[in-house]
Amino acid sequence: MKYKYLLAGVGFMALMSSCEFTDISPKDSLTDKSYWGKAEDLKLYANNLYTMFPGPDYNLDSQSDDCVSTTANATLFDDVTVPGSGGGWSWGNIRICNFFLNRYHTAVGSESEINRYVAEVRFFRALDYFSKVKSFGDVPWYESDLKADDKELLYKARDPRNFVIGKIIEDLEFAAQWLPTPDKAGTGRLHKYVAYTQLSRVCLYEGTHMKYHNESGSITSQALLEKAVKAAEAVMASGLYDIVKATDAGCGQQAFEGYPLYYGNLFIQEDLTGNKECILPRIYIKDLLMHWLGRDYAKKGLGYSKDFLETFLFRDGKPISAHKEYDDATLEKELADRDPRMYQIINNPHRPTLIDLEGVHVWESQNIAPNQGVSGYNLTKYLSPIPDQNEANSSTYDWFLYRYAEVLLNYAEAKAELGTCTQADLDKTVNLLRDRVEMAHLSINPVVDNSVDYGYSISPLLYEIRRERRVELATEGFRWSDIVRWKAGKLLENPKTYLGMTLSEESMANYPEGTFDGRKVTIGGKTYLKIYEKALDDAGRKWSANDKRYLSPLPTDQLVLNGNLTQNPGWEE
């Protein structure tokens, strides 16, 4: 049975609303001076930080080469302007964390009791800072909760990203040391393997970012990649997690013969708390806490790109370039004998999408329209066929905050980057993911495929590990970060990253006459669905060697307020 602890508000925001506190503590109210007395106080404060975790979202990879949307993405088409304010340059969460970290010492309790909640707060500080580093690069590091008279700190310059990453790692290593094991943490609460997973994510990101962006620092790329391996190993060695073949039970699914939904069912589980692939769930309960994903998903003008469809291997583990019989004249032909994850996340007749009023499982086709899919490849990864799950704010299936599949992929990629990946490493990582969907294994010497241009050469093995990551983690919010850290903007120059389905006579026959008028483009002898009015050679899809879009611009109001801040390269006005 699904259990959810309720985040208890304790008025700590009221504590933070003032920069100064009096010496006299009122007898009948909570004050900063009276609050920090015991471990339970620390727990209640930390509870409120859990709102920093993201909720279910269909739009996570809309800014990438995986998806196309009704409106052209401003970043991908180089149509972004420097914001006057906001833009992610916000320090409220950091101050909330530092407020705690500068006051918890007066609480009475054992070292393990106290440090457990210190670890939670430091985890969330690391989480927020990592997001800022990914967006802006260099950012000011703060360990105090800033007050209006802290002039020197308020107007400090940005610290080097390598220094800040070091501080993030310190926070996460502290969290991994002091957070309890899952059985002692409580359902839905942080534990040490969440910290190790986040640590592997941070170290893989920054280790590869340094390598491909040719950066240096006191913490080297190799050291970061080695930390990524060790953090992933800690999770893998726990014996608590596994890759799950999710059944149809409870998912409202009735798979077609020969088309099991072992992967697709994973993302519409009512209860992830007992799922061995879930390292940390975000939990939802009917009539208590529900979400909109079922209603929003696949109805918001988002579709997979043609390039993403061509990423999927055949079931024998070989790319389409090795299969001369490859035929994409219709979706049915395109799906034939391909990686089973393909039919499990794309709307097609082999994945039931609706239970009708008579209880019959049916496939519900979708048109190419702004309020549905726009590419002919409509998303169904998080779409439950249960009608109640698709009403407004009534979805109750849980959401993965951290999934074991990512840990395995982090491990395999870091080992490949270090040049130490073995067949045994592949068998305990990538090939576990392939076993779930009954795909051929990845070997240490895979078939060479040059269909994707990163703008530089990588080994065939690393090429395939990157492919596996793209497929397994599709629409889970990793793709843009991967493109940035790999310095792989070149991928976005491929026109198939913003084109839709192949327009053959067979495929067009399934749509009303006139649907594709003025929306066709021919490349390499094939005709594809054109999504945008922008020309295919639009300069905005070109990426320079040190393109400014790898970092976000600082808002202009902050540059005016603090003369020690400088704008990121290329964004200067």
Side-chain angles (χ1 to χ4, degrees):
M1 185 175 187
K2 186 157 55 170
Y3 167 79
K4 183 180 189 304
Y5 68 89
L6 297 177
L7 300 183
V10 295
F12 82 92
M13 292 304 295
L15 293 179
M16 298 189 58
S17 63
S18 173
C19 292
E20 298 180 352
F21 303 94
T22 62
D23 291 332
I24 301 174
S25 301
K27 302 294 184 183
D28 59 350
S29 64
L30 182 68
T31 68
D32 181 57
K33 190 173 182 179
S34 67
Y35 180 70
W36 312 94
K38 54 187 182 300
E40 184 67 17
D41 297 338
L42 308 186
K43 177 182 180 180
L44 292 174
Y45 189 106
N47 282 352
N48 293 273
L49 296 176
Y50 281 76
T51 59
M52 290 173 60
F53 278 132
D57 189 354
Y58 68 91
N59 207 34
L60 293 174
D61 281 336
S62 60
Q63 182 171 294
S64 75
D65 52 350
D66 286 355
C67 296
V68 287
S69 53
T70 302
T71 304
N73 180 274
T75 297
L76 303 187
F77 279 93
D78 200 11
D79 194 26
V80 177
T81 57
V82 177
S85 61
W89 192 267
S90 171
W91 300 91
N93 286 334
I94 299 301
R95 183 169 188 263
I96 289 170
C97 293
N98 286 341
F99 189 88
F100 174 101
L101 295 170
N102 282 277
R103 287 164 175 79
Y104 77 88
H105 306 85
T106 59
V108 176
S110 68
E111 185 179 34
S112 60
E113 285 178 316
I114 300 299
N115 279 347
R116 169 182 179 170
Y117 301 111
V118 177
E120 288 194 359
V121 174
R122 290 186 68 172
F123 175 93
F124 284 112
R125 181 172 67 176
L127 195 68
D128 195 80
Y129 256 115
F130 182 48
S131 176
K132 285 177 168 55
V133 168
K134 290 198 296 180
S135 292
F136 302 108
D138 297 346
V139 292
W141 174 261
Y142 294 113
E143 292 185 350
S144 67
D145 51 297
L146 297 178
K147 300 177 180 64
D149 58 353
D150 291 332
K151 302 295 185 184
E152 185 175 347
L153 290 175
L154 285 169
Y155 298 103
K156 70 176 289 187
R158 295 196 277 174
D159 290 301
R161 68 182 291 157
N162 191 259
F163 169 80
V164 178
I165 287 292
K167 292 294 187 178
I168 291 170
I169 290 172
E170 287 178 11
D171 277 352
L172 292 175
E173 288 180 336
F174 183 92
Q177 177 184 356
W178 288 103
L179 285 172
T181 53
D183 59 314
K184 296 179 181 178
T187 304
R189 199 165 194 108
L190 288 176
H191 54 79
K192 64 173 57 270
Y193 299 114
V194 178
Y196 277 124
T197 301
Q198 182 65 28
L199 182 60
S200 77
R201 183 184 295 181
V202 168
C203 292
L204 177 65
Y205 182 95
E206 197 62 15
T208 51
H209 192 283
M210 290 184 72
K211 177 177 180 177
Y212 293 103
H213 289 261
N214 195 28
E215 297 168 340
S216 59
S218 58
I219 310 175
T220 65
S221 171
Q222 178 167 330
L224 287 165
L225 291 170
E226 289 171 350
K227 279 184 175 290
V229 169
K230 289 180 180 179
E233 280 180 331
V235 183
M236 294 160 67
S238 72
L240 298 174
Y241 305 103
D242 203 354
I243 297 303
V244 175
K245 280 190 174 183
T247 69
D248 297 340
C251 297
Q253 298 284 19
Q254 184 174 307
F256 290 81
E257 185 177 354
Y259 288 86
L261 301 172
Y262 299 140
Y263 173 78
N265 281 339
L266 195 64
F267 304 98
I268 52 173
Q269 296 282 313
E270 173 67 23
D271 186 0
L272 287 176
T273 59
N275 188 302
K276 292 196 72 173
E277 191 160 341
C278 186
I279 297 173
L280 185 68
R282 184 153 189 165
I283 301 168
Y284 294 87
I285 297 177
K286 185 173 177 60
D287 299 326
L288 180 62
L289 181 63
M290 298 180 285
H291 59 85
W292 285 80
L293 191 60
R295 185 172 179 84
D296 282 358
Y297 198 65
K299 298 179 178 67
K300 292 294 184 179
L302 193 67
Y304 287 119
S305 70
K306 182 63 180 179
D307 177 71
F308 180 63
L309 268 287
E310 293 186 349
T311 294
F312 288 86
L313 299 168
F314 276 73
R315 293 189 73 155
D316 63 6
K318 295 179 182 178
I320 60 175
S321 60
H323 280 265
K324 294 183 179 180
E325 76 279 11
Y326 170 66
D327 186 352
D328 63 349
T330 66
L331 180 57
E332 183 70 13
K333 292 179 178 179
E334 199 164 10
L335 289 170
D337 208 28
R338 302 284 293 284
D339 183 331
R341 285 170 290 193
M342 188 174 178
Y343 68 76
Q344 295 181 54
I345 65 173
I346 299 169
N347 191 35
N348 70 91
H350 300 291
R351 187 195 188 282
T353 54
L354 179 69
I355 301 174
D356 66 16
L357 295 177
E358 285 72 42
V360 177
H361 292 67
V362 298
W363 169 60
E364 185 181 51
S365 62
Q366 290 177 295
N367 293 324
I368 296 172
N371 64 341
Q372 296 186 27
V374 296
S375 66
Y377 302 124
N378 298 338
L379 287 60
T380 58
K381 184 167 179 175
Y382 305 110
L383 186 62
S384 170
I386 301 173
D388 286 349
Q389 296 286 3
N390 295 306
E391 296 299 324
N393 197 30
S394 66
S395 301
T396 57
Y397 46 93
D398 290 349
W399 180 254
F400 283 100
L401 290 172
Y402 292 91
R403 183 160 75 93
Y404 188 50
E406 182 206 348
V407 173
L408 301 184
L409 290 165
N410 290 352
Y411 179 88
E413 184 183 342
K415 292 278 282 188
E417 289 285 6
L418 290 166
T420 60
C421 188
T422 66
Q423 186 62 52
D425 291 328
L426 295 178
D427 290 341
K428 66 183 180 182
T429 56
V430 171
N431 289 331
L432 293 182
L433 303 176
R434 293 195 175 187
D435 284 343
R436 179 194 351 235
V437 293
E438 301 169 0
M439 276 276 293
H441 278 191
L442 174 62
S443 74
I444 202 72
N445 296 302
V447 173
V448 176
D449 182 18
N450 295 314
S451 60
V452 174
D453 182 6
Y454 286 103
Y456 51 83
S457 297
I458 58 176
S459 69
L461 176 60
L462 186 55
Y463 188 101
E464 292 304 322
I465 290 173
R466 288 186 179 185
R467 185 206 302 271
E468 193 74 22
R469 183 179 181 89
R470 184 182 187 186
V471 168
E472 177 68 28
L473 302 180
T475 64
E476 294 182 40
F478 291 93
R479 186 60 180 172
W480 176 247
S481 291
D482 289 345
I483 289 172
V484 170
R485 67 186 176 90
W486 295 333
K487 200 176 183 181
K490 179 77 173 175
L491 296 174
L492 299 161
E493 296 182 2
N494 177 1
K496 290 183 181 179
T497 63
Y498 51 105
L499 293 176
M501 59 187 267
T502 302
L503 298 182
S504 65
E505 289 186 8
E506 289 179 87
S507 64
M508 288 189 292
N510 296 318
Y511 296 87
E513 187 176 352
T515 299
F516 305 106
D517 290 350
R519 303 188 64 192
K520 301 176 184 178
V521 61
T522 300
I523 299 175
K526 284 188 177 181
T527 302
Y528 302 98
L529 173 62
K530 183 179 178 182
I531 311 297
Y532 309 122
E533 292 301 320
K534 293 178 180 288
L536 293 180
D537 60 351
D538 188 280
R541 291 298 282 213
K542 302 297 181 184
W543 283 67
S544 63
N546 294 297
D547 201 285
K548 67 180 182 180
R549 288 169 288 175
Y550 287 123
L551 291 174
S552 299
L554 276 67
T556 54
D557 66 340
Q558 296 303 308
L559 298 172
V560 172
L561 288 169
N562 183 357
N564 290 317
L565 293 178
T566 57
Q567 185 57 278
N568 276 328
W571 292 104
E572 302 92 343
E573 295 181 341

